[in-house]
Amino acid sequence: MRISTITAPLKRSARSMVALLLAACSGITQSEASFQKYGAVNFIGKRASATQGRAAATVVFFESLSLQVPNSSAQQSDQCVFAPVDTVQQVARGDRQAGTTVGITIGGATRQLPYSSTDLRYATAANEPIVYNVGDVAQVSVPGDGNNFPALAGSVKLAEPIELGPVAIPAAGAGLAVNWNGTNDPTAAVILQIKYANPATASFANEQVYCALKDDGNVLVPSGLLTQFLASSAPRRSLTLVRWRTNLVGTTAGNLHLTSSIDTTFVFP
């Protein structure tokens, strides 16, 4: 694959997509005439087996001005950039309710997520993930709540477990070959994060090579991006792959943005 440079807005993991959405929330000085209503549905998956995942789900509703939402279908080329490692915990919060519960149907089974007035969101309980199989689609039903938010429905295909192939530290001057079980699905994309300490004496991984990739199963990270990674040492070097998929549905009354992601991490010895 050919690598090019990505732009700054793509420097975050798929796991902080909801936080990116909320960062654009409206302020009291903005013109209400331009406000748009958004719902953000986020499925964060972990591998259960090669054919099954377990996902935590969060749903938030808010108003925003001129919001640009992440789109996995638009990320169908390979691009890399240096970036700091974001260690800030992102918590998804909305500013409104859109019904007593939000329904999520997967594989014929429906889960109702209750609204928390404390957290300002709908979410699965910490010990009650949604179990899904490869190929499953999550159907989300929002009942709506008067002028707060309209009734809407949308779906997203859930991200399949991502399986990393053998990884070896390259020799100086060579690129880093990374292989995974690519889907070749044009609605999916992959994020690659190669984290390391810079300078090498740093006590934790504070920098990364961040790549936005097509989900076709292989990439060769150029040697020119690996100098500081090679200078770092275990256990401060790791590689994370995130498969993510999005869908956006909406009307003039409101929009529903759905994101599904799943990851795997390899720590270099």
Side-chain angles (χ1 to χ4, degrees), residues 96 131 163 267:
R96 68 196 56 227
V131 179
E163 306 283 342
V267 177

Side-chain angles (χ1 to χ4, degrees), residues 2 8 12 56-57 82 97 115 147 169 182 203 206 212 215 221 235 246 252 262 267:
R2 184 174 180 176
R12 288 183 180 265
F82 292 111
Q97 192 170 348
Y115 181 71
N147 291 328
I169 296 175
S203 60
N206 58 348
D215 190 10
V221 181
T246 64
T252 55
I262 196 166
V267 177

